[in-house]
Amino acid sequence: MNNEQFNNRNVNDSYYLVDIKDYPTDGWGKFKRVVKRTFRGELFVGLWVVLREMIKFDIHTIQYPLEKMPIGPRYRAVHEMKRLWESDTERCIGCGLCEKICISDCIRMDTKIDEYSRKEVSQYTINLGRCIFCGYCAEVCPELAITHGGEYENASEQREHFILYEDMLTPIDTMKAGKQLEFEGFGAITPHEDERMKKTPLAY
Amino acid sequence: MDTAYLIETVIKVVVILLVFSALAGIGTYFERKILAFMQRRLGPMNVGPYGLLQVAADGIKLFTKEDIIPTNVVAPIFKIAPVITAATAFMAAAAIPFLPQFTLFGYTVHPIVADINIGILYILGMMGVGLYGPLLGGMASANKFSLLSAARGAAVFISYEVVTGLSILAPIMLVGSLSLVDFNEYQAGGIGNWIVWSQPLAFVLFWIAAFAETGRTPFHLIANDHEIIDGFGTEYSGMRWGLFAIGEYANMFFLSFVIPLLFLGGYGDGTLLGALGLLAKMAFFFFFFLWTRAAWPDVRPDQLMWLCWKVLMPLAVINVVITGFIMMF
Ligand code: SF4
Ligand code: SF4
């Protein structure tokens, strides 16, 4: 096998070469080119274009701290920890999958058995200095507990603040108000999830 | 020399200095705004309403910044260079009639510092001397970009000055005087008398040369940011750099006055309307300086020299010769 098919960039047959005339080599040709360029008024086309834009006044500036671009729901910024809609408790069951899959090894967690003999997350941090926001943790989480949020502005005096479980967890009052946003990104529930559900075959 | 004349002149000098220093600052504001609008941006918005106080903020910044003289520069020349640019720009203004004469409290004011009979020659000469600022500043600095800029400055200088001088020669032959006031008188009869109709070629040539004179796009190659950083201004900081900027913008304003005075009837018959007309023309030419900056690419130094020596200069000479023949017969 040769490399030709890899080097051939002409993937589309409708590509064509722009018709550029050869540069003139003799004096007369150059002179003709200068005269043609001088009187074709190309400079005025440029002037008109910028003047038109100025008159249209179609400004694209976003005055950042005051205005912000809407970011897509699938944007992968700082993580969020979700709560259960039914009981407002934390969704995370402490399975440790996110810690295991994290390719930059930045999730650290610890669990303990609580008084009801259930597994409880006692420590959970993500070192955002190392996180590459790949989204694997959100994808692997069986409970849709850890997701990515849209918060991309972070500042603090200490990097130890980035980032604790309490900061990621949906605040309880937000939850009570029913304002928790579900993550629509990679690994989230698709819109047709209900139709794709199958009954667990317990019959056999 | 009587005292009244002295006092009047000093007042005029102070007024021109103040007005045009302020205008140079406001010019930067206009430049940013207009460039921004043409590029679909907003420009300065945060300091004051619509960013109007940006000029003041810039001024404070320039004045309070540390004045750094780098170790390896030729200090005396390095220090004097910005002053040359700013000073000559304002000296050139002495022979420009900014407004028609008017009467203030029963006293007739001539808004020109000195109506010398070599006016236009003096203005062009002074603006020519102004190029020593970038030249010396660039050569005194200790980096190659400044040096390149100085070398370009020298090359550009000898190219466009020829065109400026020759293109202006034909109108001077028509008017028979070098004073801008006489130029204005010659064209006072109305739009039909404007020199631009009899000397369209000279007008275009002088306009092109004015872009080289002020170092604006498309001939912005002495301080071309994307090629040689800030050129001669690379090692300057604080107010010394600011003087370069003031000189550049003052020059733009003065040339925007000179072009209408030479070719477009100036202030006409000297009424209020004529005065406003001159200001409007000035505003258009200043706007055009900014307009081209948004629209046109820069040329290379060799292209500028090619243009000046091989195209513009022959055209200017032909123009002078034809004008001479027509005047003779
Ligand atoms: S986004 Fe990727 S790198 Fe960041 S915590 Fe999750 S798995 Fe680790
Ligand atoms: S994968 Fe989800 S449920 Fe499991 S520990 Fe991580 S966040 Fe908790």
Side-chain angles (χ1 to χ4, degrees):
Chain A
M1 199 175 77
N2 58 15
N3 281 338
E4 193 134 326
Q5 55 174 315
F6 295 112
N7 293 335
N8 181 13
R9 295 265 178 98
N10 258 338
V11 284
N12 191 336
D13 284 339
S14 62
Y15 280 11
Y16 62 94
L17 288 176
V18 181
D19 183 28
I20 299 177
K21 288 205 193 65
D22 288 337
Y23 287 130
T25 44
D26 55 331
W28 176 239
K30 281 183 185 166
F31 178 74
K32 274 197 298 190
R33 188 179 61 170
V34 168
V35 172
K36 209 157 94 194
R37 284 183 175 174
T38 308
F39 290 104
R40 208 155 43 170
E42 281 166 339
L43 289 176
F44 296 98
V45 177
L47 285 178
W48 163 242
V49 167
V50 287
L51 189 70
R52 184 188 66 204
E53 292 309 322
M54 183 167 141
I55 295 169
K56 269 205 281 186
F57 209 69
D58 183 16
I59 300 294
H60 288 230
T61 302
I62 290 170
Q63 303 188 55
Y64 163 60
L66 308 175
E67 305 170 3
K68 282 183 193 168
M69 291 266 275
I71 62 168
R74 306 180 64 145
Y75 191 78
R76 298 198 300 261
V78 173
H79 307 73
E80 284 173 357
M81 281 286 180
K82 302 293 185 194
R83 288 178 185 269
L84 287 167
W85 288 103
E86 293 85 356
S87 60
D88 293 352
T89 51
E90 301 145 26
R91 282 189 197 171
C92 177
I93 52 171
C95 69
L97 281 176
C98 51
E99 184 188 27
K100 203 84 185 162
I101 203 169
C102 176
I103 47 174
S104 26
D105 234 0
C106 59
I107 301 182
R108 279 286 169 277
M109 60 186 297
D110 213 351
T111 52
K112 66 170 198 278
I113 309 283
D114 72 357
E115 61 261 39
Y116 310 111
S117 298
R118 287 166 53 148
K119 205 173 181 186
E120 190 196 42
V121 181
S122 54
Q123 298 273 336
Y124 192 104
T125 57
I126 300 181
N127 182 349
L128 287 188
R130 294 176 54 166
C131 174
I132 57 166
F133 300 98
C134 60
Y136 281 8
C137 49
E139 190 193 349
V140 79
C141 178
E143 297 294 313
L144 295 173
I146 185 165
T147 65
H148 283 286
E151 185 61 39
Y152 52 84
E153 296 160 315
N154 310 298
S156 177
E157 302 98 43
Q158 295 182 25
R159 56 181 171 181
E160 281 75 21
H161 292 168
F162 299 125
I163 187 174
L164 305 178
Y165 190 61
E166 295 75 49
D167 305 323
M168 295 185 279
L169 196 62
T170 311
I172 191 72
D173 38 342
T174 315
M175 194 63 220
K176 286 248 161 46
K179 293 249 175 65
Q180 174 173 273
L181 295 174
E182 286 298 333
F183 178 61
E184 295 175 50
F186 203 38
I189 306 176
T190 57
H192 315 292
E193 205 68 46
D194 282 350
E195 296 146 35
R196 287 165 50 188
M197 284 263 276
K198 290 204 183 72
K199 225 174 166 185
T200 316
L202 289 177
Y204 52 91
Chain B
M1 211 176 285
D2 61 315
T3 330
Y5 176 77
L6 258 181
I7 293 175
E8 191 195 332
T9 307
V10 167
I11 290 177
K12 276 192 259 185
V13 166
V14 170
V15 166
I16 287 179
L17 266 179
L18 289 182
V19 166
F20 280 93
S21 309
L23 268 184
I26 296 168
T28 62
Y29 174 76
F30 282 135
E31 166 151 41
R32 288 185 198 179
K33 274 294 190 193
I34 288 171
L35 275 184
F37 292 157
M38 288 183 168
Q39 295 161 351
R40 294 197 194 159
R41 295 182 288 114
L42 275 175
M45 281 299 277
N46 285 325
V47 195
Y50 300 102
L52 265 171
L53 295 179
Q54 185 71 43
V55 182
D58 284 350
I60 292 171
K61 190 188 98 175
L62 284 179
F63 272 110
T64 52
K65 256 193 163 179
E66 185 190 352
D67 178 25
I68 299 170
I69 311 291
T71 316
N72 290 330
V73 301
V74 186
I77 301 178
F78 185 85
K79 285 182 196 162
I80 201 86
V83 183
I84 297 177
T85 302
T88 52
F90 284 104
M91 279 154 77
I96 302 177
F98 292 104
L99 292 170
Q101 63 185 51
F102 56 91
T103 315
L104 198 67
F105 307 123
Y107 186 83
T108 309
V109 183
H110 302 269
I112 176 169
V113 176
D115 185 11
I116 42 181
N117 53 7
I118 53 160
I120 184 65
L121 191 64
Y122 168 79
I123 292 172
L124 292 182
M126 267 305 152
M127 287 185 173
V129 174
L131 210 94
Y132 275 101
L135 190 65
L136 294 178
M139 294 209 298
S141 298
N143 73 74
K144 53 191 165 200
F145 297 108
S146 300
L147 191 63
L148 267 178
S149 153
R152 282 183 180 193
V156 168
F157 181 55
I158 51 173
S159 315
Y160 77 76
E161 279 300 341
V162 175
V163 180
T164 321
L166 283 177
S167 68
I168 204 70
L169 197 56
I172 289 173
M173 282 156 61
L174 282 183
V175 177
S177 163
L178 287 162
S179 162
L180 282 177
V181 177
D182 289 342
F183 262 83
N184 192 75
E185 300 306 313
Y186 182 84
Q187 309 174 75
I191 292 186
N193 285 14
W194 289 4
I195 293 181
V196 64
W197 307 127
S198 49
Q199 291 290 344
L201 189 59
F203 170 65
V204 173
L205 293 183
F206 187 78
W207 201 1
I208 294 176
F211 277 90
E213 179 103 43
T214 46
R216 303 289 303 182
T217 309
F219 304 135
H220 187 232
L221 26 90
I222 306 181
N224 211 344
D225 338 16
H226 46 260
E227 288 170 7
I228 47 173
I229 315 182
D230 196 25
F232 57 89
T234 306
E235 293 190 4
Y236 282 92
S237 59
M239 205 50 218
R240 284 186 205 282
W241 187 87
L243 280 178
F244 272 132
I246 288 178
E248 180 185 338
Y249 282 88
N251 236 340
M252 277 162 70
F253 274 109
F254 295 143
L255 268 172
S256 307
F257 267 107
V258 168
I259 297 174
L261 279 170
L262 283 179
F263 293 100
L264 296 175
Y267 45 78
D269 44 10
T271 54
L272 181 66
L273 207 63
L276 290 180
L278 177 61
L279 291 185
K281 288 171 217 165
M282 189 277 292
F284 170 76
F285 280 100
F286 187 77
F287 175 73
F288 200 83
F289 274 122
L290 312 181
W291 193 3
T292 54
R293 180 158 180 205
W296 292 348
D298 273 317
V299 299
R300 293 195 310 261
D302 65 310
Q303 286 171 330
L304 174 61
M305 284 187 271
W306 174 87
L307 183 73
C308 283
W309 287 111
K310 289 192 182 168
V311 181
L312 301 185
M313 194 192 70
L315 283 177
V317 172
I318 292 171
N319 192 34
V320 169
V321 171
I322 291 178
T323 311
F325 273 115
I326 290 181
M327 284 174 67
M328 222 156 63
F329 306 116

